[in-house]
Amino acid sequence: YTYLPLIGLFILITWELCDYVREQPGAKTGVIAVSVTALAACLLLTNRQVSYWKNGGTLFAHTIAVTENNYTARAAYGAWLYQNNQLAEAQAQCEAALVIAPDYAPARDFLGVIFLAEGKLDAAQEQLTKAIERLPALFTAHADLGKVLLAKNLPAKAIEQFTLALQQGFDTPEIHFQLGKALAQQGKLEEARQQFVEQLRQDPGDYEGYFQLGQIETLQLRWPQAIDQYHTALKLQPGFLDALNNLAWLQATCPQAEWRNGPEAVRLAKRACELTKNKDPQMIGTLSAAQAEAGLFSEAVATGDRARDLALSLKKKEAAGKISEMLNFFRSKKPYHEP
């Protein structure tokens, strides 16, 4: 705000000094000494000031140090700390901002996000609700409250908040992704699909969006489309465990034979088991189904036994029951296919 307006003033000062030195030659040494000293001081002060602008953290920490009761700087510093995974420090700054200005809605929004990250869903909901009460047009608070409600398995209420955020102009890939998840939880698959399609239109590199579309295609029995979506997710993120497992399961157990591929399912499932160090009964169970589809029934039985025993040891009775059901097929030298 000052560099350009002051150019004229600096030129004026320079010209005046030049004229002065011409008229008073003896003053030249003194003028040079004063000028060099001033420039050296500016250099030192500039070097120190630039250090405060290293990042948002240094900027807002300095702002807090040189101002009083600056609740906006504390809230902004809290947001920066949160983004850098310093949750306790972030919470302290947001709470300090609210001591100064209890009605400052953005600080409550940030505090709610911190509580959500810590898994404190009730506390997060309380702060975000208060933020909206104080500033109903704070679209980020609506979006964040939607995430909390979705985490609390309240998809209908989450949809309301995500929709409000969209209506207020918060049109981002993330909001479409979250709204799609909430709609899918309510069984509104076509509406959920539209949200994921829009998310990927805005952000075509998000592998999770393709995975969500793959799940919807699977539920709607569109097998080739589901396979394509899972493949795309894995191209973007080769180690994406859920996509590896879902694609392997689909290619091992698909009701339509033309979309089954036993050897490929084995490859994918083995990769998933490697990434989980053979400690996830679901991944191991998928591998057993893939081996059976590939005609490797003795291996399928051995793998299935291992998956069932691991599930039981982890007290996952439902998973153990499903694996036991598949084992009956494998022992009869039959692959397991979804009904």
Side-chain angles (χ1 to χ4, degrees):
Y1 299 112
T2 58
Y3 291 147
L4 290 176
L6 287 176
I7 287 176
L9 179 60
F10 290 143
I11 291 174
L12 176 62
I13 292 172
T14 302
W15 286 352
E16 287 293 326
L17 285 173
C18 288
D19 291 342
Y20 177 72
V21 168
R22 287 193 193 98
E23 295 172 1
Q24 304 288 336
K28 183 176 182 179
T29 301
V31 169
I32 291 174
V34 171
S35 299
V36 170
T37 301
L39 288 172
C42 287
L43 178 63
L44 292 172
L45 291 172
T46 299
N47 184 61
R48 185 177 70 178
Q49 191 67 26
V50 167
S51 69
Y52 301 141
W53 290 80
K54 180 179 180 181
N55 54 51
T58 56
L59 175 61
F60 293 120
H62 174 66
T63 304
I64 292 167
V66 298
T67 60
E68 293 183 5
N69 297 326
N70 195 331
Y71 57 88
T72 58
R74 288 193 178 277
Y77 188 33
W80 184 87
L81 290 165
Y82 164 76
Q83 292 167 359
N84 286 271
N85 298 315
Q86 300 179 53
L87 299 186
E89 295 86 347
Q91 179 179 334
Q93 289 298 329
C94 290
E95 289 175 342
L98 290 170
V99 169
I100 301 167
D103 291 332
Y104 187 52
R108 293 200 179 275
D109 185 5
F110 295 147
L111 189 56
V113 171
I114 293 165
F115 286 143
L116 173 59
E118 293 175 335
K120 301 174 181 177
L121 300 183
D122 290 338
Q125 183 174 352
E126 179 185 358
Q127 291 300 325
L128 292 166
T129 300
K130 287 181 179 179
I132 292 169
E133 288 173 353
R134 285 158 175 76
L135 186 59
L138 186 59
F139 48 74
T140 54
H142 286 291
D144 294 330
L145 180 56
K147 293 177 187 178
V148 172
L149 294 169
L150 192 56
K152 296 180 76 170
N153 198 29
L154 298 170
K157 292 183 178 180
I159 290 169
E160 292 178 7
Q161 295 301 320
F162 293 138
T163 303
L164 283 170
L166 278 171
Q167 290 172 347
Q168 293 173 350
F170 194 48
D171 189 358
T172 67
E174 173 69 10
I175 198 73
H176 288 288
F177 179 79
Q178 296 293 342
L179 180 54
K181 287 175 61 177
L183 289 165
Q185 281 193 20
Q186 282 212 308
K188 299 176 180 179
L189 300 182
E190 197 54 42
E191 293 178 52
R193 177 209 295 278
Q194 293 172 10
Q195 294 301 321
F196 292 125
V197 168
E198 176 59 22
Q199 177 222 352
L200 292 170
R201 185 191 68 79
Q202 295 184 18
D203 183 12
D206 187 358
Y207 60 90
E208 290 192 357
Y210 293 103
F211 173 74
Q212 294 293 335
L213 276 178
Q215 289 189 305
I216 289 175
E217 302 289 11
T218 301
L219 291 170
Q220 294 185 320
L221 310 183
R222 291 199 279 256
W223 318 119
Q225 292 89 340
I227 290 170
D228 287 344
Q229 298 297 344
Y230 289 138
H231 274 304
T232 303
L234 288 170
K235 284 179 183 177
L236 293 169
Q237 185 72 12
F240 189 8
L241 279 173
D242 289 337
L244 284 168
N245 184 72
N246 283 20
L247 182 54
W249 179 261
L250 179 55
Q251 293 191 312
T253 68
C254 182
Q256 293 185 1
E258 60 187 304
W259 306 117
R260 294 198 294 268
N261 186 334
E264 176 65 6
V266 170
R267 184 188 71 80
L268 293 166
K270 280 186 175 180
R271 177 61 178 153
C273 289
E274 289 170 1
L275 291 172
T276 54
K277 299 180 180 180
N278 291 299
K279 293 182 178 180
D280 189 320
Q282 182 183 15
M283 307 294 175
I284 301 172
T286 298
L287 176 57
S288 69
Q291 290 169 331
E293 177 60 27
L296 306 172
F297 292 109
S298 59
E299 293 181 29
V301 170
T303 303
D305 282 335
R306 183 156 50 92
R308 181 202 56 211
D309 292 344
L310 180 58
L312 288 172
S313 70
L314 296 173
K315 298 182 179 179
K316 296 184 176 181
K317 295 182 179 179
E318 185 176 346
K322 180 68 174 181
I323 296 167
S324 296
E325 178 187 351
M326 293 194 302
L327 279 167
N328 293 330
F329 285 84
F330 305 160
R331 292 193 177 99
S332 300
K333 298 192 180 302
K334 296 179 182 178
Y336 174 83
H337 299 147
E338 291 278 20

